[in-house]
Amino acid sequence: MVNRKEYFLKKIYPEHLAEMRAIGRRVIDIRVPDPNDKEKDYSRFMENDWLHFEDTNHEVLKASVRYCKRYDRIEKLLINEGVQNVWPDAKTWNEAVSKSLQFPNYAKRIKEHGVYALCIKKLAVYVAGPYSGTNDEKVTNIRNADNTAREIANLGYIPLVPHNLFGFWEERGFDEKECMALEKDLLRDKSDIFYFINPSNGTNNEVEQAKSIMPVFSSLDDLKFWKPVNSK
């Protein structure tokens, strides 16, 4: 798998993780340095480092860093990053400031150490599963992949479904090898996580390819609690 720094941000409230998973919602996570926590130096967070968010129920959301920027005041952070990107449900400016300072000693710690806007980038999940068959079987396989993709989206990831992207392309002048090459490019170059539904010859080949370069899952529960089938 690709080597990258990974930072573990645990003991998050479940409602906070749910906000981060919601489609089109939270983009910026506020992070206030804790001088007693030597493991999380936000000044070292770099683009494409991985983030491991884990709530008190042990549900996990993996994401990556788009950027991590320091501010000396929470007001400056909210102005520059946009209230809607930090607190989408805040109805007033004062509510946004209040929500930002809701945790104990945040105001004091921000005054002493500043505050970071951690901009989060969602990870892309390649959804693999059977495709070939009769036209009716293909329609069913596409529907199954699409239903799984929606569940994956609700867990806070971006599903990439080759069934939808390249479905029935062989009837539009593309041969099977060309479609497989495009799927391989999508898997290798655009995906962070691999999820497969049911085994098939094509799916099994993709699983073996994916195992050496990314986490692989075959269960939504395992994805929710981050238990890859190829974990060591």
Side-chain angles (χ1 to χ4, degrees):
M1 294 185 192
V2 177
N3 290 323
R4 59 171 65 84
K5 289 186 178 179
E6 184 168 358
Y7 297 97
F8 292 82
L9 310 170
K10 297 187 176 183
K11 297 182 180 179
I12 293 171
Y13 293 123
E15 57 269 26
H16 185 181
L17 192 69
E19 283 184 350
M20 296 173 68
R21 280 176 168 164
I23 299 170
R25 301 273 290 184
R26 196 181 180 103
V27 178
I28 301 293
D29 195 43
I30 292 175
R31 288 282 152 178
V32 179
D34 181 351
N36 297 317
D37 187 347
K38 304 301 182 183
E39 294 183 5
K40 291 191 285 296
D41 181 353
Y42 300 114
S43 67
R44 295 180 179 273
F45 283 26
M46 302 295 292
E47 183 179 4
N48 294 325
D49 284 343
W50 272 30
L51 304 167
H52 178 110
F53 295 100
E54 185 173 336
D55 71 10
T56 53
N57 294 324
H58 303 295
E59 290 195 18
V60 171
L61 171 65
K62 292 275 192 176
S64 67
V65 177
R66 190 179 299 278
Y67 62 82
C68 193
K69 186 175 181 180
R70 183 186 181 279
Y71 293 91
D72 57 1
R73 294 186 298 118
I74 192 63
E75 292 84 358
K76 190 179 294 186
L77 182 152
L78 292 172
I79 290 171
N80 282 274
E81 301 296 337
V83 170
Q84 73 280 3
N85 292 323
V86 183
W87 302 111
D89 292 331
K91 295 180 175 59
T92 67
W93 171 260
N94 288 338
E95 182 183 356
V97 173
S98 178
K99 287 170 73 72
S100 301
L101 301 176
Q102 63 184 297
F103 299 105
N105 298 320
Y106 259 30
K108 179 181 178 182
R109 282 163 52 190
I110 290 173
K111 187 175 181 179
E112 294 176 350
H113 306 288
V115 58
Y116 285 85
L118 177 56
C119 187
I120 298 166
K121 181 165 59 176
K122 288 188 173 185
L123 299 181
V125 179
Y126 183 100
V127 181
Y131 170 72
S132 299
T134 66
N135 275 10
D136 287 344
E137 288 170 339
K138 287 179 181 178
V139 169
T140 297
N141 289 335
I142 291 172
R143 185 185 305 116
N144 290 339
D146 191 57
N147 288 339
T148 300
R150 283 183 288 188
E151 296 288 345
I152 290 172
N154 286 330
L155 290 179
Y157 300 100
I158 303 171
L160 302 177
V161 189
H163 299 66
N164 278 331
L165 291 172
F166 311 122
F168 295 100
W169 275 31
E170 67 274 15
E171 298 175 7
R172 303 173 187 174
F174 286 77
D175 62 32
E176 184 178 355
K177 287 185 178 180
E178 288 174 323
C179 290
M180 290 177 63
L182 288 169
E183 290 173 3
K184 186 175 291 186
D185 289 340
L186 185 68
L187 171 60
R188 182 184 59 242
D189 298 332
K190 301 297 181 183
S191 307
D192 303 298
I193 301 167
F194 185 93
Y195 185 99
F196 66 98
I197 306 169
N198 294 309
S200 69
N201 289 336
T203 303
N204 294 344
N205 290 334
E206 289 179 320
V207 170
E208 292 308 311
Q209 179 186 350
K211 278 183 177 179
S212 63
I213 57 176
M214 65 186 66
V216 175
F217 296 86
S218 61
S219 157
L220 289 171
D221 273 348
D222 284 350
L223 180 58
K224 183 186 295 185
F225 293 96
W226 200 261
K227 297 177 181 179
V229 299
N230 58 333
S231 60
K232 294 181 180 180

